[in-house]
Amino acid sequence: MLPPAIEPHALLVTPDACERLADVLVHFPALAVFRCAGERALHEITGYTMHSGAIALGVRHQDGAVGELVACLARAVHLPARSADVLVAMDGITQTDNVGAIFRNAASFGARGVILSPRASDPFLRKTLRVSMGRAVNLPWARARDDEWPSCL
């Protein structure tokens, strides 16, 4: 199993979003799902308008290690076969839009994971997650330590 970096804890949704997410929510029986009256109520509660009817709260775990990521990917027989096993590496990318775009494109082109240099920006920043279209949550990634970068590549 690939190491999780974030574990969902609670979800605040509109009734419409709850219906759209029904097939996903069955996989998280312990997830607390709170429903609100609609888009306007969700906006008033959160202060954000770009949420598509759902906002999640998660518990962040420690960033994964590069060796752990590679070992998990090597054992991951349930992943679809690829013509080439590709890992994307980010060396010092700090602009949140760029980090999000790299995650989004890595997922689109079938990369198996992402390796971040010690100085690369955090993939879980709100803007990065929005630009990545959530791919930073479901694409495995690890952050290299100073003493292993760039030799881990």
Side-chain angles (χ1 to χ4, degrees):
M1 172 143 183
L2 298 171
I6 195 163
E7 179 182 348
H9 181 71
L11 190 63
L12 177 62
V13 295
T14 63
D16 290 342
C18 194
E19 284 182 34
R20 287 193 313 269
L21 295 171
D23 60 331
V24 175
L25 295 177
V26 298
H27 299 290
F28 301 97
L31 184 65
V33 178
F34 300 94
R35 291 170 185 82
C36 63
E39 293 281 335
R40 184 174 178 176
L42 189 57
H43 172 70
E44 289 176 8
I45 292 168
T46 64
Y48 296 107
T49 57
M50 298 186 67
H51 48 64
S52 301
I55 293 184
L57 171 69
V59 177
R60 182 173 180 162
H61 297 281
Q62 186 175 6
D63 291 350
V66 173
E68 182 180 74
L69 172 68
V70 172
C72 286
L73 290 174
R75 292 190 310 265
V77 294
H78 68 280
L79 292 175
R82 311 239 193 260
S83 57
D85 288 335
V86 175
L87 290 176
V88 174
M90 284 191 230
D91 185 13
I93 308 292
T94 58
Q95 211 286 331
T96 56
D97 291 327
N98 292 341
V99 173
I102 291 169
F103 267 91
R104 187 179 69 239
N105 286 307
S108 295
F109 287 105
R112 304 248 335 250
V114 176
I115 298 174
L116 303 168
S117 73
R119 286 161 293 289
S121 183
D122 188 343
F124 287 154
L125 293 174
R126 185 175 60 89
K127 188 173 184 184
T128 304
L129 283 172
R130 189 178 77 224
V131 172
S132 77
M133 297 176 65
R135 296 302 186 216
V137 172
N138 63 9
L139 186 64
W141 60 273
R143 182 177 303 279
R145 297 183 319 267
D146 281 322
D147 64 340
E148 66 183 354
W149 186 262
S151 63
C152 67
L153 299 178

